[in-house]
mmCIF file of all heavy atoms in Angstrom:
data_model
loop_
_atom_site.group_PDB
_atom_site.id
_atom_site.type_symbol
_atom_site.label_atom_id
_atom_site.label_comp_id
_atom_site.label_asym_id
_atom_site.label_seq_id
_atom_site.Cartn_x
_atom_site.Cartn_y
_atom_site.Cartn_z
ATOM 1 N N TYR O 27 0.853 -1.176 0.000
ATOM 2 C CA TYR O 27 0.000 0.000 0.000
ATOM 3 C C TYR O 27 0.896 1.235 0.000
ATOM 4 O O TYR O 27 2.053 1.179 0.393
ATOM 5 C CB TYR O 27 -0.934 0.026 1.211
ATOM 6 C CG TYR O 27 -0.243 0.070 2.541
ATOM 7 C CD1 TYR O 27 0.079 1.284 3.164
ATOM 8 C CD2 TYR O 27 0.113 -1.110 3.204
ATOM 9 C CE1 TYR O 27 0.713 1.313 4.386
ATOM 10 C CE2 TYR O 27 0.754 -1.094 4.419
ATOM 11 C CZ TYR O 27 1.053 0.122 5.007
ATOM 12 O OH TYR O 27 1.698 0.153 6.218
ATOM 13 N N GLY O 28 0.326 2.344 -0.492
ATOM 14 C CA GLY O 28 1.136 3.548 -0.547
ATOM 15 C C GLY O 28 0.473 4.609 -1.415
ATOM 16 O O GLY O 28 -0.745 4.657 -1.554
ATOM 17 N N VAL O 29 1.309 5.427 -1.995
ATOM 18 C CA VAL O 29 0.834 6.548 -2.811
ATOM 19 C C VAL O 29 1.393 6.413 -4.211
ATOM 20 O O VAL O 29 2.582 6.115 -4.386
ATOM 21 C CB VAL O 29 1.275 7.908 -2.206
ATOM 22 C CG1 VAL O 29 0.800 9.065 -3.082
ATOM 23 C CG2 VAL O 29 0.752 8.057 -0.788
ATOM 24 N N LYS O 30 0.494 6.622 -5.191
ATOM 25 C CA LYS O 30 0.918 6.638 -6.596
ATOM 26 C C LYS O 30 0.838 8.063 -7.105
ATOM 27 O O LYS O 30 -0.136 8.767 -6.854
ATOM 28 C CB LYS O 30 0.021 5.749 -7.455
ATOM 29 C CG LYS O 30 0.345 4.275 -7.376
ATOM 30 C CD LYS O 30 -0.518 3.500 -8.364
ATOM 31 C CE LYS O 30 -0.170 2.012 -8.332
ATOM 32 N NZ LYS O 30 -1.006 1.244 -9.308
ATOM 33 N N ALA O 31 1.818 8.450 -7.881
ATOM 34 C CA ALA O 31 1.812 9.787 -8.475
ATOM 35 C C ALA O 31 2.398 9.709 -9.876
ATOM 36 O O ALA O 31 3.338 8.937 -10.120
ATOM 37 C CB ALA O 31 2.605 10.772 -7.620
ATOM 38 N N SER O 32 1.808 10.488 -10.774
ATOM 39 C CA SER O 32 2.311 10.517 -12.148
ATOM 40 C C SER O 32 2.093 11.909 -12.728
ATOM 41 O O SER O 32 1.220 12.663 -12.263
ATOM 42 C CB SER O 32 1.618 9.472 -13.014
ATOM 43 O OG SER O 32 0.224 9.728 -13.082
ATOM 44 N N PHE O 33 2.893 12.216 -13.750
ATOM 45 C CA PHE O 33 2.749 13.517 -14.384
ATOM 46 C C PHE O 33 2.920 13.338 -15.899
ATOM 47 O O PHE O 33 3.965 12.849 -16.351
ATOM 48 C CB PHE O 33 3.795 14.502 -13.860
ATOM 49 C CG PHE O 33 3.575 15.912 -14.337
ATOM 50 C CD1 PHE O 33 2.703 16.764 -13.673
ATOM 51 C CD2 PHE O 33 4.221 16.379 -15.487
ATOM 52 C CE1 PHE O 33 2.491 18.061 -14.119
ATOM 53 C CE2 PHE O 33 4.006 17.675 -15.936
ATOM 54 C CZ PHE O 33 3.138 18.518 -15.254
ATOM 55 N N PRO O 34 1.897 13.728 -16.680
ATOM 56 C CA PRO O 34 1.965 13.531 -18.144
ATOM 57 C C PRO O 34 2.794 14.628 -18.824
ATOM 58 O O PRO O 34 2.247 15.663 -19.237
ATOM 59 C CB PRO O 34 0.489 13.591 -18.557
ATOM 60 C CG PRO O 34 -0.142 14.493 -17.555
ATOM 61 C CD PRO O 34 0.605 14.275 -16.257
ATOM 62 N N ILE O 35 4.061 14.424 -18.965
ATOM 63 C CA ILE O 35 4.935 15.434 -19.562
ATOM 64 C C ILE O 35 4.548 15.709 -21.019
ATOM 65 O O ILE O 35 4.610 16.845 -21.504
ATOM 66 C CB ILE O 35 6.405 14.990 -19.465
ATOM 67 C CG1 ILE O 35 6.808 14.846 -17.990
ATOM 68 C CG2 ILE O 35 7.328 15.976 -20.161
ATOM 69 C CD1 ILE O 35 8.210 14.322 -17.797
ATOM 70 N N SER O 36 4.131 14.666 -21.725
ATOM 71 C CA SER O 36 3.792 14.829 -23.139
ATOM 72 C C SER O 36 2.587 15.743 -23.347
ATOM 73 O O SER O 36 2.385 16.264 -24.454
ATOM 74 C CB SER O 36 3.505 13.472 -23.776
ATOM 75 O OG SER O 36 2.409 12.830 -23.118
ATOM 76 N N SER O 37 1.796 15.985 -22.299
ATOM 77 C CA SER O 37 0.630 16.861 -22.450
ATOM 78 C C SER O 37 1.018 18.291 -22.743
ATOM 79 O O SER O 37 0.204 19.061 -23.270
ATOM 80 C CB SER O 37 -0.223 16.812 -21.164
ATOM 81 O OG SER O 37 -0.796 15.536 -20.994
ATOM 82 N N PHE O 38 2.265 18.672 -22.418
ATOM 83 C CA PHE O 38 2.680 20.045 -22.690
ATOM 84 C C PHE O 38 2.640 20.358 -24.188
ATOM 85 O O PHE O 38 2.324 21.479 -24.580
ATOM 86 C CB PHE O 38 4.087 20.281 -22.143
ATOM 87 C CG PHE O 38 4.123 20.520 -20.667
ATOM 88 C CD1 PHE O 38 4.650 19.571 -19.806
ATOM 89 C CD2 PHE O 38 3.625 21.697 -20.130
ATOM 90 C CE1 PHE O 38 4.685 19.789 -18.443
ATOM 91 C CE2 PHE O 38 3.670 21.924 -18.765
ATOM 92 C CZ PHE O 38 4.190 20.959 -17.916
ATOM 93 N N TYR O 39 2.939 19.366 -25.022
ATOM 94 C CA TYR O 39 2.885 19.625 -26.467
ATOM 95 C C TYR O 39 1.660 18.977 -27.131
ATOM 96 O O TYR O 39 1.209 19.424 -28.169
ATOM 97 C CB TYR O 39 4.175 19.160 -27.159
ATOM 98 C CG TYR O 39 4.639 17.762 -26.823
ATOM 99 C CD1 TYR O 39 4.167 16.653 -27.523
ATOM 100 C CD2 TYR O 39 5.581 17.560 -25.812
ATOM 101 C CE1 TYR O 39 4.615 15.387 -27.223
ATOM 102 C CE2 TYR O 39 6.034 16.296 -25.509
ATOM 103 C CZ TYR O 39 5.535 15.199 -26.214
ATOM 104 O OH TYR O 39 5.978 13.947 -25.921
ATOM 105 N N HIS O 40 1.109 17.926 -26.502
ATOM 106 C CA HIS O 40 -0.104 17.327 -27.063
ATOM 107 C C HIS O 40 -1.345 18.178 -26.797
ATOM 108 O O HIS O 40 -2.310 18.129 -27.562
ATOM 109 C CB HIS O 40 -0.329 15.933 -26.460
ATOM 110 C CG HIS O 40 0.543 14.883 -27.052
ATOM 111 N ND1 HIS O 40 0.814 13.687 -26.421
ATOM 112 C CD2 HIS O 40 1.234 14.838 -28.225
ATOM 113 C CE1 HIS O 40 1.615 12.955 -27.167
ATOM 114 N NE2 HIS O 40 1.904 13.642 -28.277
ATOM 115 N N ASN O 41 -1.324 18.938 -25.727
ATOM 116 C CA ASN O 41 -2.519 19.662 -25.282
ATOM 117 C C ASN O 41 -2.656 21.054 -25.903
ATOM 118 O O ASN O 41 -3.684 21.703 -25.762
ATOM 119 C CB ASN O 41 -2.495 19.808 -23.751
ATOM 120 C CG ASN O 41 -3.881 19.776 -23.154
ATOM 121 O OD1 ASN O 41 -4.647 18.866 -23.425
ATOM 122 N ND2 ASN O 41 -4.226 20.774 -22.351
ATOM 123 N N LYS O 42 -1.618 21.519 -26.593
ATOM 124 C CA LYS O 42 -1.589 22.891 -27.074
ATOM 125 C C LYS O 42 -2.747 23.188 -28.029
ATOM 126 O O LYS O 42 -3.509 24.141 -27.837
ATOM 127 C CB LYS O 42 -0.240 23.150 -27.752
ATOM 128 C CG LYS O 42 -0.086 24.555 -28.302
ATOM 129 C CD LYS O 42 1.291 24.724 -28.933
ATOM 130 C CE LYS O 42 1.455 26.134 -29.498
ATOM 131 N NZ LYS O 42 2.787 26.306 -30.141
ATOM 132 N N HIS O 43 -2.897 22.379 -29.048
ATOM 133 C CA HIS O 43 -3.939 22.633 -30.043
ATOM 134 C C HIS O 43 -5.328 22.255 -29.529
ATOM 135 O O HIS O 43 -6.328 22.847 -29.946
ATOM 136 C CB HIS O 43 -3.617 21.870 -31.326
ATOM 137 C CG HIS O 43 -2.332 22.293 -31.967
ATOM 138 N ND1 HIS O 43 -2.164 23.536 -32.545
ATOM 139 C CD2 HIS O 43 -1.139 21.645 -32.091
ATOM 140 C CE1 HIS O 43 -0.923 23.644 -33.016
ATOM 141 N NE2 HIS O 43 -0.281 22.514 -32.743
ATOM 142 N N LYS O 44 -5.385 21.302 -28.633
ATOM 143 C CA LYS O 44 -6.680 20.957 -28.030
ATOM 144 C C LYS O 44 -7.248 22.151 -27.250
ATOM 145 O O LYS O 44 -8.446 22.433 -27.301
ATOM 146 C CB LYS O 44 -6.523 19.764 -27.091
ATOM 147 C CG LYS O 44 -6.185 18.462 -27.791
ATOM 148 C CD LYS O 44 -6.048 17.330 -26.783
ATOM 149 C CE LYS O 44 -5.684 16.027 -27.485
ATOM 150 N NZ LYS O 44 -5.512 14.905 -26.514
ATOM 151 N N GLU O 45 -6.357 22.828 -26.534
ATOM 152 C CA GLU O 45 -6.798 23.981 -25.750
ATOM 153 C C GLU O 45 -7.260 25.116 -26.672
ATOM 154 O O GLU O 45 -8.274 25.770 -26.403
ATOM 155 C CB GLU O 45 -5.675 24.453 -24.847
ATOM 156 C CG GLU O 45 -6.076 25.584 -23.909
ATOM 157 C CD GLU O 45 -4.986 25.919 -22.911
ATOM 158 O OE1 GLU O 45 -4.082 25.076 -22.716
ATOM 159 O OE2 GLU O 45 -5.030 27.026 -22.338
ATOM 160 N N LYS O 46 -6.541 25.350 -27.768
ATOM 161 C CA LYS O 46 -6.953 26.397 -28.698
ATOM 162 C C LYS O 46 -8.311 26.075 -29.324
ATOM 163 O O LYS O 46 -9.171 26.955 -29.504
ATOM 164 C CB LYS O 46 -5.902 26.563 -29.791
ATOM 165 C CG LYS O 46 -4.612 27.228 -29.325
ATOM 166 C CD LYS O 46 -3.639 27.431 -30.479
ATOM 167 C CE LYS O 46 -2.374 28.142 -30.011
ATOM 168 N NZ LYS O 46 -1.400 28.344 -31.139
ATOM 169 N N ALA O 47 -8.518 24.797 -29.669
ATOM 170 C CA ALA O 47 -9.804 24.395 -30.242
ATOM 171 C C ALA O 47 -10.935 24.585 -29.237
ATOM 172 O O ALA O 47 -12.041 25.026 -29.591
ATOM 173 C CB ALA O 47 -9.735 22.939 -30.699
ATOM 174 N N ALA O 48 -10.671 24.267 -27.961
ATOM 175 C CA ALA O 48 -11.695 24.443 -26.928
ATOM 176 C C ALA O 48 -12.030 25.923 -26.730
ATOM 177 O O ALA O 48 -13.191 26.286 -26.507
ATOM 178 C CB ALA O 48 -11.222 23.822 -25.612
ATOM 179 N N VAL O 49 -11.030 26.794 -26.819
ATOM 180 C CA VAL O 49 -11.266 28.233 -26.691
ATOM 181 C C VAL O 49 -12.142 28.731 -27.835
ATOM 182 O O VAL O 49 -13.081 29.510 -27.636
ATOM 183 C CB VAL O 49 -9.926 28.998 -26.658
ATOM 184 C CG1 VAL O 49 -10.168 30.496 -26.769
ATOM 185 C CG2 VAL O 49 -9.161 28.685 -25.376
ATOM 186 N N LEU O 50 -11.860 28.279 -29.047
ATOM 187 C CA LEU O 50 -12.663 28.685 -30.202
ATOM 188 C C LEU O 50 -14.100 28.174 -30.100
ATOM 189 O O LEU O 50 -15.048 28.873 -30.469
ATOM 190 C CB LEU O 50 -12.003 28.181 -31.492
ATOM 191 C CG LEU O 50 -10.653 28.818 -31.846
ATOM 192 C CD1 LEU O 50 -10.043 28.132 -33.066
ATOM 193 C CD2 LEU O 50 -10.817 30.315 -32.092
ATOM 194 N N GLU O 51 -14.260 26.962 -29.610
ATOM 195 C CA GLU O 51 -15.610 26.412 -29.417
ATOM 196 C C GLU O 51 -16.393 27.245 -28.404
ATOM 197 O O GLU O 51 -17.590 27.481 -28.572
ATOM 198 C CB GLU O 51 -15.524 24.962 -28.947
ATOM 199 C CG GLU O 51 -15.195 23.962 -30.032
ATOM 200 C CD GLU O 51 -16.324 23.837 -31.040
ATOM 201 O OE1 GLU O 51 -17.502 23.862 -30.632
ATOM 202 O OE2 GLU O 51 -16.027 23.733 -32.248
ATOM 203 N N LEU O 52 -15.715 27.676 -27.356
ATOM 204 C CA LEU O 52 -16.377 28.519 -26.355
ATOM 205 C C LEU O 52 -16.801 29.848 -26.967
ATOM 206 O O LEU O 52 -17.924 30.324 -26.738
ATOM 207 C CB LEU O 52 -15.437 28.749 -25.174
ATOM 208 C CG LEU O 52 -15.948 29.710 -24.086
ATOM 209 C CD1 LEU O 52 -17.267 29.221 -23.506
ATOM 210 C CD2 LEU O 52 -14.898 29.874 -22.988
ATOM 211 N N LYS O 53 -15.919 30.456 -27.774
ATOM 212 C CA LYS O 53 -16.281 31.724 -28.422
ATOM 213 C C LYS O 53 -17.467 31.543 -29.362
ATOM 214 O O LYS O 53 -18.370 32.381 -29.416
ATOM 215 C CB LYS O 53 -15.080 32.271 -29.186
ATOM 216 C CG LYS O 53 -13.949 32.784 -28.293
ATOM 217 C CD LYS O 53 -12.807 33.347 -29.131
ATOM 218 C CE LYS O 53 -11.696 33.903 -28.225
ATOM 219 N NZ LYS O 53 -10.560 34.453 -29.026
ATOM 220 N N ARG O 54 -17.473 30.442 -30.106
ATOM 221 C CA ARG O 54 -18.591 30.181 -31.014
ATOM 222 C C ARG O 54 -19.903 30.028 -30.249
ATOM 223 O O ARG O 54 -20.941 30.559 -30.661
ATOM 224 C CB ARG O 54 -18.310 28.916 -31.824
ATOM 225 C CG ARG O 54 -19.369 28.609 -32.891
ATOM 226 C CD ARG O 54 -19.154 27.232 -33.493
ATOM 227 N NE ARG O 54 -19.321 26.196 -32.505
ATOM 228 C CZ ARG O 54 -20.514 25.707 -32.134
ATOM 229 N NH1 ARG O 54 -21.616 26.191 -32.664
ATOM 230 N NH2 ARG O 54 -20.585 24.760 -31.236
ATOM 231 N N GLU O 55 -19.848 29.337 -29.122
ATOM 232 C CA GLU O 55 -21.061 29.142 -28.329
ATOM 233 C C GLU O 55 -21.533 30.453 -27.711
ATOM 234 O O GLU O 55 -22.742 30.680 -27.570
ATOM 235 C CB GLU O 55 -20.796 28.099 -27.236
ATOM 236 C CG GLU O 55 -22.050 27.534 -26.603
ATOM 237 C CD GLU O 55 -22.942 26.843 -27.599
ATOM 238 O OE1 GLU O 55 -22.439 26.040 -28.401
ATOM 239 O OE2 GLU O 55 -24.168 27.130 -27.584
ATOM 240 N N GLU O 56 -20.604 31.315 -27.317
ATOM 241 C CA GLU O 56 -20.992 32.624 -26.782
ATOM 242 C C GLU O 56 -21.687 33.477 -27.851
ATOM 243 O O GLU O 56 -22.664 34.172 -27.566
ATOM 244 C CB GLU O 56 -19.756 33.342 -26.235
ATOM 245 C CG GLU O 56 -19.231 32.719 -24.944
ATOM 246 C CD GLU O 56 -17.935 33.374 -24.479
ATOM 247 O OE1 GLU O 56 -17.311 34.086 -25.307
ATOM 248 O OE2 GLU O 56 -17.534 33.172 -23.318
ATOM 249 N N VAL O 57 -21.182 33.403 -29.081
ATOM 250 C CA VAL O 57 -21.845 34.119 -30.180
ATOM 251 C C VAL O 57 -23.232 33.537 -30.440
ATOM 252 O O VAL O 57 -24.198 34.266 -30.686
ATOM 253 C CB VAL O 57 -20.977 34.064 -31.456
ATOM 254 C CG1 VAL O 57 -21.723 34.674 -32.646
ATOM 255 C CG2 VAL O 57 -19.663 34.798 -31.242
ATOM 256 N N ALA O 58 -23.329 32.204 -30.379
ATOM 257 C CA ALA O 58 -24.630 31.554 -30.573
ATOM 258 C C ALA O 58 -25.623 31.958 -29.487
ATOM 259 O O ALA O 58 -26.825 32.131 -29.746
ATOM 260 C CB ALA O 58 -24.456 30.037 -30.592
ATOM 261 N N HIS O 59 -25.103 32.135 -28.261
ATOM 262 C CA HIS O 59 -25.975 32.572 -27.161
ATOM 263 C C HIS O 59 -26.480 33.996 -27.411
ATOM 264 O O HIS O 59 -27.655 34.297 -27.166
ATOM 265 C CB HIS O 59 -25.202 32.494 -25.850
ATOM 266 C CG HIS O 59 -25.998 32.911 -24.649
ATOM 267 N ND1 HIS O 59 -27.180 32.294 -24.281
ATOM 268 C CD2 HIS O 59 -25.798 33.898 -23.725
ATOM 269 C CE1 HIS O 59 -27.670 32.878 -23.194
ATOM 270 N NE2 HIS O 59 -26.841 33.853 -22.852
ATOM 271 N N GLU O 60 -25.601 34.849 -27.903
ATOM 272 C CA GLU O 60 -26.031 36.213 -28.233
ATOM 273 C C GLU O 60 -27.063 36.207 -29.357
ATOM 274 O O GLU O 60 -28.036 36.973 -29.338
ATOM 275 C CB GLU O 60 -24.816 37.042 -28.632
ATOM 276 C CG GLU O 60 -23.836 37.297 -27.489
ATOM 277 C CD GLU O 60 -22.600 38.044 -27.942
ATOM 278 O OE1 GLU O 60 -22.506 38.330 -29.171
ATOM 279 O OE2 GLU O 60 -21.728 38.343 -27.104
ATOM 280 N N GLU O 61 -26.859 35.332 -30.325
ATOM 281 C CA GLU O 61 -27.825 35.227 -31.423
ATOM 282 C C GLU O 61 -29.182 34.742 -30.905
ATOM 283 O O GLU O 61 -30.233 35.222 -31.348
ATOM 284 C CB GLU O 61 -27.303 34.272 -32.497
ATOM 285 C CG GLU O 61 -28.235 34.161 -33.696
ATOM 286 C CD GLU O 61 -27.787 33.103 -34.676
ATOM 287 O OE1 GLU O 61 -27.073 32.178 -34.246
ATOM 288 O OE2 GLU O 61 -28.157 33.187 -35.848
ATOM 289 N N THR O 62 -29.159 33.809 -29.971
ATOM 290 C CA THR O 62 -30.410 33.338 -29.380
ATOM 291 C C THR O 62 -31.148 34.479 -28.692
ATOM 292 O O THR O 62 -32.373 34.594 -28.791
ATOM 293 C CB THR O 62 -30.132 32.204 -28.373
ATOM 294 O OG1 THR O 62 -29.453 31.133 -29.030
ATOM 295 C CG2 THR O 62 -31.432 31.683 -27.764
#
């Protein structure tokens, strides 16, 4: 028994474009809300 710990180092470069896409999706939804 004990403690497990891990850190995804590869996420620093894998996550870059995912985050940008999520930001754009949020902006699109905010515009859609204004249109509603």
